[in-house]
Amino acid sequence: MNFLIQQLKKYGPIHTDLEEELIKRTKFMTKQKGDFFLKQGQVVSNMFVIEKGIVRAFYNKEDREINVWFGIENMILGSVIPLFFNLPSLESIQFLEDSSIYYISREDMNELYQKYHQMETIGRKLAEEYCKILEERTISLQTESAEERYNTLLKNETAAAQRISLGHIASYLGITQETLSRIRKK
């Protein structure tokens, strides 16, 4: 079965006619560790789901890479600015492991939104989930200590945290690797 369709079904029913169109429009690719799905400034308007592997999204500031999110298996992902607004990305998305993904273009999604109310509903639910995740992340960065953010990461993303380098985790938490080492020793 198409892995993207399988994940989309978590957000609402997909009838046979829509499923057939999704099968035609969904593409599959494999990427190696270190490859990019998207680089900052590009307009790559695809929504994707990871079947196997892990990615990170980051931006560059003053010769530093700052991680903003991670994606693992079963997550539907995309860079919000190009995906929803068809504008150049503010972030890069890089594969941290050899990965396999299914993806669909923004154009195909928009055509399916217009043709199928159920796809429109799924898209809305996905956007709502993105908003929830972004709001929780913003509040966490503003109100929690570094140790609390680390513990939340371990609690909510146990599998991912074990597969991501400490340098990437420290950047995501907004702390140095030295601070992360001190937190981990507690």
Side-chain angles (χ1 to χ4, degrees), residues 173-184:
L173 297 172
I175 59 177
T176 64
Q177 266 190 267
E178 293 77 16
T179 301
L180 179 57
S181 292
R182 283 193 296 275
I183 291 170
R184 294 181 71 225

Side-chain angles (χ1 to χ4, degrees), residues 139-171:
I139 291 169
S140 170
L141 287 170
Q142 296 293 317
T143 64
E144 293 180 339
S145 68
E147 185 172 350
E148 289 170 323
R149 291 193 306 275
Y150 178 66
N151 288 330
T152 299
L153 176 68
L154 290 180
K155 179 182 162 199
N156 296 339
E157 306 293 339
T158 306
Q162 294 172 353
R163 295 162 59 189
I164 300 167
S165 74
L166 294 179
H168 288 320
I169 290 173
S171 169

Side-chain angles (χ1 to χ4, degrees), residues 2-7 10 27-31 37 47-57 69-78 93-104 130 160 163:
N2 180 309
F3 201 68
L4 178 62
I5 295 170
Q6 185 179 342
Q7 298 307 311
K10 293 178 180 178
K27 295 174 179 59
F28 174 81
M29 79 168 63
T30 58
K31 290 291 194 173
F37 182 76
M47 179 177 68
F48 68 101
V49 64
I50 301 173
E51 179 181 45
K52 176 186 156 296
I54 192 165
V55 297
R56 72 176 177 129
W69 57 264
F70 300 103
I72 61 170
E73 290 89 359
N74 305 318
M75 294 178 88
I76 296 176
L77 305 162
I93 299 176
Q94 183 181 38
F95 294 91
L96 296 178
E97 297 176 351
D98 291 349
S99 301
S100 55
I101 66 168
Y102 288 84
Y103 66 98
I104 187 168
Y130 276 20
R163 295 162 59 189

Side-chain angles (χ1 to χ4, degrees), residues 36-155:
F36 285 85
F37 182 76
L38 168 74
K39 288 188 177 179
Q40 189 172 349
Q42 291 180 320
V43 182
V44 177
S45 306
N46 296 315
M47 179 177 68
F48 68 101
V49 64
I50 301 173
E51 179 181 45
K52 176 186 156 296
I54 192 165
V55 297
R56 72 176 177 129
F58 68 96
Y59 63 92
N60 293 299
K61 175 135 174 102
E62 298 170 6
D63 297 327
R64 278 187 336 144
E65 293 179 349
I66 300 171
N67 292 298
V68 290
W69 57 264
F70 300 103
I72 61 170
E73 290 89 359
N74 305 318
M75 294 178 88
I76 296 176
L77 305 162
S79 185
V80 171
I81 302 290
L83 185 61
F84 296 140
F85 301 100
N86 205 34
L87 296 170
S89 178
L90 301 175
E91 63 192 5
S92 296
I93 299 176
Q94 183 181 38
F95 294 91
L96 296 178
E97 297 176 351
D98 291 349
S99 301
S100 55
I101 66 168
Y102 288 84
Y103 66 98
I104 187 168
S105 73
R106 174 185 195 276
E107 294 78 16
D108 283 339
M109 283 186 349
N110 284 333
E111 286 178 24
L112 294 176
Y113 289 156
Q114 291 179 359
K115 193 170 179 182
Y116 298 97
H117 176 67
Q118 57 193 304
M119 188 65 189
E120 213 175 21
T121 300
I122 289 168
R124 177 183 50 81
K125 289 181 179 180
L126 274 167
E128 289 170 352
E129 184 175 74
Y130 276 20
C131 289
K132 178 183 178 283
I133 291 167
L134 291 171
E135 185 170 323
E136 288 171 347
R137 174 86 169 126
T138 301
I139 291 169
S140 170
L141 287 170
Q142 296 293 317
T143 64
E144 293 180 339
S145 68
E147 185 172 350
E148 289 170 323
R149 291 193 306 275
Y150 178 66
N151 288 330
T152 299
L153 176 68
L154 290 180
K155 179 182 162 199

